[in-house]
Amino acid sequence: MNIRVASELDYPDLRLIYLESRRKSFHWADIEEMTLEDFDKHTEGEYIILAEEDSHILGFASLYLPDNFIHNLFVHPDFSGKGVGGQLVNASIEKMNKPLRLKCVSENQKAMKFYENNGWKKIVEEGKPEEKYWVMEYE
């Protein structure tokens, strides 16, 4: 598996991964409101790395470098549980300064367990009752 910086040529594939992953995993959200364009809006100004194998993109992370913040981490549903997310998290940790932070939707139990198993700690739960999330930190 290769981790590299994304280029605009990768965006069509990244848009699809972002859309498909959210539609499959975000059971609390209205999937009808999700669009391909969300990727561009939700990663604007961010440093994007991706994981690929045999020229096939498996997932990506978007980082907001000034705050050492992982904003998005998504793996194509077909490659979930195969170590892609862990490799992207490790590459993110190498790129930024500690402590790193991220927010994880409280309802996303699978993601919460993934981060906790990879050394992240819950700091504080925030957000409106229907949109709660945990701020998590990696030191």
Side-chain angles (χ1 to χ4, degrees):
M1 188 179 322
N2 180 43
I3 306 290
R4 67 172 173 83
V5 177
S7 76
E8 291 218 13
L9 295 174
D10 300 312
Y11 280 23
D13 288 336
L14 296 176
R15 287 181 189 111
L16 281 170
I17 290 170
Y18 189 56
L19 182 63
E20 288 179 30
S21 297
R22 292 185 310 142
R23 284 188 171 166
K24 186 165 187 169
S25 302
F26 287 18
H27 57 85
W28 59 88
D30 183 356
I31 63 172
E32 297 302 316
E33 291 182 8
M34 298 176 187
T35 67
L36 285 171
E37 292 75 30
D38 290 344
F39 173 81
D40 299 85
K41 287 187 278 189
H42 299 166
T43 61
E44 188 175 344
E46 295 180 352
Y47 182 86
I48 302 171
I49 57 174
L50 59 81
E52 68 180 350
E53 200 164 67
D54 300 325
S55 301
H56 186 77
I57 299 174
L58 312 178
F60 74 91
S62 71
L63 316 176
Y64 185 65
L65 298 178
D67 290 343
N68 299 305
F69 185 76
I70 299 177
H71 185 216
N72 292 291
L73 177 71
F74 285 90
V75 175
H76 190 285
D78 293 348
F79 300 99
S80 180
K82 296 185 174 19
V84 178
Q87 294 240 9
L88 287 165
V89 167
N90 290 339
S92 300
I93 290 167
E94 288 175 21
K95 178 66 183 169
M96 296 187 284
N97 299 312
K98 293 178 187 171
L100 279 69
R101 288 199 171 204
L102 58 80
K103 293 177 184 176
C104 185
V105 175
S106 301
E107 294 231 12
N108 196 343
Q109 292 301 314
K110 185 177 176 186
M112 291 293 274
K113 188 174 180 181
F114 167 79
Y115 289 119
E116 288 179 308
N117 288 343
N118 282 281
W120 292 78
K121 305 252 185 298
K122 292 179 182 174
I123 303 299
V124 63
E125 190 176 36
E126 299 178 338
K128 301 174 196 159
E130 67 279 359
E131 298 174 359
K132 290 239 179 246
Y133 60 86
W134 278 95
V135 174
M136 301 185 81
E137 190 171 87
Y138 183 91
E139 294 183 5

